Amino acid sequence: AQSVTQPDIHITVSEGASLELRCNYSYGATPYLFWYVQSPGQGLQLLLKYFSGDTLVQGIKGFEAEFKRSQSSFNLRKPSVHWSDAAEYFCAVGSPYSSASKIIFGSGTRLSIRP
Amino acid sequence: GAGVSQSPSNKVTEKGKDVELRCDPISGHTALYWYRQSLGQGLEFLIYFQGNSAPDKSGLPSDRFSAERTGGSVSTLTIQRTQQEDSAVYLCASSPAGTGGSPLHFGNGTRLTVT
């Protein structure tokens, strides 16, 4: 069964600093991978997704993520964070091998921005 | 166009009562998911509907929880004999296809409080 681990519950970074949020998955093959963001008082929004091909994917709001098969990881990065990036971030995994496949989410990482 | 609509947005109920939560997915979306988000927890998968296939109920925490999807559109999540630990935000999401690679479109959720 697929699973997702986000080892960092809460991270605080200074505005303008770089950011990396960790995500590790468990799956028998290469899954579909996603990052979603949940801003305060708002619904979940897709940041980016990886299906195949180039292991570095670009998303909205200046975010990117790199798929590393050898480490079963899909870490989210941003070179310079803005105060508006404060939110909860969720990594998710889906199966490419089933026509009826649920998407499983990690426990989330809450990002706080230090002025 | 209209997004995923959930009602009510807030529900307060007494312990032991039954509650029904409603989700209107985006028109034409064949896949529909229910997740539960408790304070400090991630998105816990509950149930997944895809077209006319039998739903994946593997995430339902107990037999007090059930869900149905009528006519391949509107879905209702029912919690019988509510308990205080059922207090959470219940999120519904839909996607245009049932494969594990289709991004999810989330509603704003129903915040359930069991007193």
Side-chain angles (χ1 to χ4, degrees), chain A residues 24 29 54 102 110:
Chain A
N24 291 94
D54 193 346
K102 58 182 179 267
R110 184 161 63 94

Side-chain angles (χ1 to χ4, degrees), chain A residues 32 36 38 51 95 101-103, chain B residues 33 35 37 56 98 100-101 104:
Chain A
Y32 293 146
Y36 285 81
Q38 186 177 37
F51 287 178
S95 168
S101 172
K102 58 182 179 267
I103 294 179
Chain B
Y33 299 75
Y35 293 91
Q37 186 174 23
D56 180 341
L104 303 182

Side-chain angles (χ1 to χ4, degrees), chain B residues 12-115:
Chain B
V12 180
T13 189
E14 292 180 353
K15 178 182 173 181
K17 300 285 190 182
D18 298 351
V19 295
E20 286 188 351
L21 312 180
R22 177 187 170 101
C23 173
D24 281 275
I26 293 173
S27 178
H29 280 195
T30 60
L32 186 147
Y33 299 75
W34 284 98
Y35 293 91
R36 178 169 70 175
Q37 186 174 23
S38 305
L39 188 63
Q41 303 294 316
L43 274 72
E44 176 188 5
F45 167 78
L46 296 178
I47 188 168
Y48 163 57
F49 297 88
Q50 167 51 27
N52 295 321
S53 302
D56 180 341
K57 305 179 182 179
S58 60
L60 295 178
S62 77
D63 58 8
R64 296 186 295 105
F65 288 72
S66 63
E68 62 177 19
R69 188 178 186 192
T70 55
S73 181
V74 172
S75 177
T76 302
L77 177 69
T78 301
I79 308 173
Q80 296 179 310
R81 305 181 302 280
T82 51
Q83 303 296 312
Q84 289 187 330
E85 60 262 28
D86 300 333
S87 296
V89 176
Y90 290 81
L91 292 166
C92 176
S94 69
S95 71
T99 65
S102 297
L104 303 182
H105 300 257
F106 281 87
N108 289 328
T110 294
R111 181 175 299 277
L112 175 66
T113 303
V114 182
T115 62

Side-chain angles (χ1 to χ4, degrees), chain A residues 81-92:
Chain A
V81 298
H82 185 262
W83 64 266
S84 60
D85 293 325
E88 187 95 22
Y89 291 81
F90 294 94
C91 183

